[in-house]
Amino acid sequence: MIVTINGAAHEVADGMTVAQAVRTLTTATTGVAVAVNDEVVTRGTWETTALSDRDRVEVLTAVQGG
């Protein structure tokens, strides 16, 4: 199936979870937020939230700077 992650199309396995999608982009364990089709997905449901064909996933990471 094809999902869009941070604006780029990716071919992924059927049943890929939000947690798996996040791991493809970052190894960060804190400061990460995810939205699927413009809806925030809480961290506690990442492992059980499966993606569907044509889903739009945004993975945001917090960055410190000055």
Side-chain angles (χ1 to χ4, degrees):
M1 69 181 175
I2 302 294
V3 297
T4 302
I5 303 174
N6 288 359
H10 293 266
E11 186 170 345
V12 300
D14 288 344
M16 176 181 245
T17 65
V18 168
Q20 291 168 321
V22 169
R23 285 192 291 268
T24 68
L25 295 177
T26 182
T27 57
T29 57
T30 60
V32 179
V34 178
V36 176
N37 301 325
D38 302 320
E39 295 288 328
V40 173
V41 179
T42 60
R43 183 178 294 274
T45 63
W46 286 7
E47 292 289 344
T48 57
T49 302
L51 299 174
S52 298
D53 192 39
R54 298 186 184 196
D55 275 349
R56 294 179 331 277
V57 182
E58 293 295 326
V59 178
L60 307 169
T61 54
V63 177
Q64 284 185 314

